[in-house]
Amino acid sequence: MIETISCEGVAQLMASDGLFAVFDVRERGEYNDCQIPNTTSLPRSQIEFRLAELVPRGNIPIVVYDEGGQRAGLAAQTFAQLGYEQVSIVDGGLSAWQSDGRETVSGVNVPSKAFGERVHHDRNVPDLSPEELKSLIDSAADLMILDMRTPEEYGRFCIPGGLNVPGGELIHWVEKLRQKPAVIVNCAGRTRSIIGAAALQRLGLTNVRALRNGTMGWVLAGYELENKPVRRGPAAPASDTQALTTALTIAAEEGLAAMTVEDLIRARAGASYVIDVRSAEEFACDHVRGSINVPGGQAVQRADDFVPVRNAPIIFISKHSARAVMTAYWYRQMGFKNVFFLQGGLDAWTAAGQQLAIGASSAEPQGFGGAKSAARLMDAAGLHDIIESASSALIDVSTSLEYESSHIPGAKWISRGWIDIKLPALYSDRAQSIVLTCRDGVLSVFAARQLAEVGYSNVSVLEGGLRAWSAAGYRADSGLHDYLVPPNDVVLSPSIRGNKEDMQKYLDWELKLKH
């Protein structure tokens, strides 16, 4: 049943010890501009793709909000259709929250980044400037530069000579790093480098410093990045007795709780998160069925993106427990209460006779089968004939970033989150022939259902989307030049966009978070 909840009711819920989740269903860029603190961004276009992972049980109270318009109500209907029983809409949305004089914040992953700034301040994490690092590099100093970003980020560019060691892996490097005169930790901006350096400090190293402002600080200082590095740090070893001993010592000192295999089986029957903090490659080789893969550094950096249900148990898993312990340690430091690690890791799981799943997570979006069976599908050749005759409107509902990279010639772009709200004003004839496409034909199937629900009767979907179009040998265009709503569905790091003014604004914003 869908109900409304007042802003005061939301505030009371968020101060409680119960299980609940609060979602902002606007576009990611809108969320970045202004949001209710400690809420999770779940754009309307992503609900079917992420909700089962984000809210593990259908009886957990869920609150959704937008600016005070139509999207929250439509999103709530989707939640209910997917089996969620207690869904409420914030009365008046973000506008009412602001009118009440309540606090708002800007940015993405604000809780984690604010935590990083507090760690930097409270633990006096040592750092060094880009100029100091450049001097060390130029003098051929014996140092190691560790890049805490994801392999995808690292693969674009890095500090010259940097090695990619996503944060959760650090515990396996301790003994090697202890032999180096200097260890420099960096990320794109500040948070992951601060947490990485602080983690190494907690593991007993005294020769570590964070690169002040990361790759963005490096660029702002006028230095060149190394493009498309191919180096990789060594994979986590099959066995690392020293790392495990160190991790278990920290667990004992910090009072971190372990779960046995039997405990985990019971916990999975309720509302809990089971998070595998190993690399994507390791996870694909074997993992506990139903667990989600969030490598350790990202689990800390983006906690609000993966753990929206407040007060739910969180169980971290790694091969032998070392990386799981370190991630649990940081979650406890962030203020999460019900944090555990699987005692003995995956080895204990298999030793207890439990099976492991193989392959990357590839669950079908909720409701996709029904939406596809109701859609009118078209192949690439059919669409090509329609384009030649100019008889239909061609609409692309990929992300704006995907559309900018490549799209079918003549396609206009709109976010799926807006399509059934904005299209009626643009195409008032509900019998208008419309063909929907996207990167792979999935988002467009859901968009077709939305248009059918508001009365459009002549909607087709390109089966397989742009991939099928390209496979058939047809050409594609690029560029973000024909959009029907503002393309604010994607928030890219300023380090990727490369605009120095945006980099400086971002770093200034991060620095203010500790206050």
Side-chain angles (χ1 to χ4, degrees):
M1 181 177 179
I2 299 171
E3 300 180 345
T4 59
I5 183 172
S6 68
C7 294
E8 177 60 26
V10 174
Q12 291 177 3
L13 181 66
M14 295 177 74
S16 74
D17 293 329
L19 298 177
F20 66 90
V22 183
F23 291 111
D24 185 319
V25 298
R26 300 172 300 151
E27 301 296 324
R28 189 74 165 172
E30 296 173 274
Y31 179 82
N32 182 59
D33 289 340
C34 184
Q35 73 215 230
I36 297 173
N38 298 310
T39 59
T40 292
S41 172
L42 180 60
R44 188 180 168 218
S45 61
Q46 293 300 306
I47 292 172
E48 294 92 344
F49 295 79
R50 298 203 64 212
L51 189 57
E53 181 179 279
L54 295 176
V55 186
R57 290 291 177 271
N59 60 353
I60 294 172
I62 294 172
V63 175
V64 297
Y65 75 92
D66 60 7
E67 75 286 359
Q70 296 174 259
R71 285 176 289 178
L74 293 168
Q77 290 176 23
T78 302
F79 279 51
Q81 290 165 0
L82 295 175
Y84 290 84
E85 303 165 2
Q86 300 183 59
V87 184
S88 301
I89 303 165
V90 178
D91 191 9
L94 180 63
S95 297
W97 185 271
Q98 292 173 304
S99 295
D100 282 358
R102 299 179 186 275
E103 180 187 6
T104 59
V105 294
S106 63
V108 295
N109 307 129
V110 175
S112 295
K113 292 175 181 179
F115 170 71
E117 293 303 320
R118 291 195 300 273
V119 168
H120 185 261
H121 178 268
D122 296 346
R123 301 194 186 192
N124 195 27
V125 176
D127 60 17
L128 83 168
S129 68
E131 292 81 3
E132 290 171 309
L133 177 56
K134 183 66 164 59
S135 178
L136 288 172
I137 293 172
D138 290 345
S139 67
D142 185 11
L143 77 162
M144 186 169 283
I145 302 171
L146 303 182
D147 192 316
M148 299 291 103
R149 298 174 301 153
T150 65
E152 293 75 20
E153 292 174 279
Y154 174 81
R156 297 187 185 101
F157 51 74
C158 71
I159 303 297
L163 276 175
N164 189 213
V165 186
E169 314 296 312
L170 284 173
I171 191 167
H172 293 296
W173 283 63
V174 171
E175 296 311 310
K176 182 175 182 178
L177 297 177
R178 206 182 300 278
Q179 311 307 317
K180 285 286 181 181
V183 177
I184 313 303
V185 182
N186 81 272
C187 64
R190 296 177 56 81
T191 306
R192 286 172 287 181
S193 55
I194 291 168
I195 297 301
L200 290 174
Q201 283 185 310
R202 181 64 182 83
L203 291 165
L205 270 64
T206 59
N207 57 345
V208 59
R209 288 186 284 176
L211 174 60
R212 193 176 306 148
N213 298 332
T215 58
M216 284 190 266
W218 184 263
V219 171
L220 290 172
Y223 302 131
E224 294 293 325
L225 293 164
E226 178 184 347
N227 290 316
K228 297 184 178 179
V230 295
R231 295 178 303 277
R232 295 196 64 178
S239 178
D240 190 342
T241 303
Q242 181 61 54
L244 181 57
T245 299
T246 301
L248 294 179
T249 298
I250 289 175
E253 292 173 352
E254 301 290 341
L256 300 175
M259 269 196 181
T260 64
V261 170
E262 293 75 18
D263 292 335
L264 177 56
I265 292 170
R266 286 191 291 270
R268 293 174 72 202
S272 62
Y273 293 103
V274 182
I275 301 178
D276 189 317
V277 298
R278 299 172 301 152
S279 69
E281 292 83 358
E282 291 174 280
F283 183 83
C285 288
D286 54 30
H287 58 268
V288 173
R289 189 176 302 279
S291 61
I292 60 175
N293 180 219
V294 190
Q298 289 304 298
V300 176
Q301 163 87 350
R302 299 175 55 196
D304 59 314
D305 278 339
F306 297 109
V307 187
V309 177
R310 301 298 172 182
N311 306 310
I314 308 168
I315 306 98
F316 292 107
I317 299 176
S318 60
K319 179 65 174 173
H320 307 292
S321 295
R323 285 175 283 177
V325 167
M326 292 309 297
T327 312
Y329 164 75
W330 283 116
Y331 266 59
R332 177 66 65 80
Q333 296 294 306
M334 281 192 284
F336 289 90
K337 298 175 183 177
N338 297 325
V339 178
F340 307 86
F341 63 93
L342 177 60
Q343 187 174 12
L346 289 181
D347 287 351
W349 183 260
T350 55
Q354 300 297 318
Q355 298 296 309
L356 293 173
I358 298 174
S361 297
S362 57
E364 185 177 90
Q366 290 177 283
F368 178 70
K372 186 175 182 179
S373 65
R376 182 190 305 163
L377 301 177
M378 172 183 295
D379 63 17
L383 176 58
H384 184 265
D385 293 342
I386 286 176
I387 291 175
E388 289 294 309
S389 66
S391 60
S392 292
L394 179 58
I395 308 293
D396 192 314
V397 294
S398 307
T399 70
S400 60
L401 196 63
E402 291 166 342
Y403 174 87
E404 182 178 17
S405 174
S406 184
H407 59 265
I408 296 171
K412 301 179 185 296
W413 179 82
I414 190 171
S415 167
R416 182 200 153 203
W418 280 115
I419 193 167
D420 47 352
I421 298 172
K422 297 292 188 180
L423 223 62
L426 299 170
Y427 299 95
S428 58
D429 180 4
R430 304 299 169 97
Q432 160 81 47
S433 175
I434 296 173
V435 180
L436 299 174
T437 185
C438 63
R439 177 176 60 99
D440 56 8
V442 179
L443 272 169
S444 46
V445 162
F446 287 113
R449 183 171 65 183
Q450 291 171 238
L451 290 182
E453 287 173 350
V454 294
Y456 285 90
S457 59
N458 194 9
V459 178
S460 301
V461 172
L462 173 61
E463 187 169 15
L466 180 65
R467 289 179 180 173
W469 176 264
S470 299
Y474 299 120
R475 75 174 184 88
D477 280 348
S478 62
L480 184 57
H481 47 69
D482 205 352
Y483 46 86
L484 303 177
V485 296
N488 59 1
D489 59 311
V490 176
V491 176
L492 289 179
S493 166
S495 66
I496 295 174
R497 290 209 178 272
N499 183 296
K500 290 187 178 181
E501 182 180 354
D502 288 344
M503 290 182 191
Q504 190 60 62
K505 287 180 179 177
Y506 174 84
L507 293 169
D508 291 342
W509 169 79
E510 275 200 316
L511 282 163
K512 293 176 182 177
L513 288 174
K514 67 174 177 285
H515 299 299

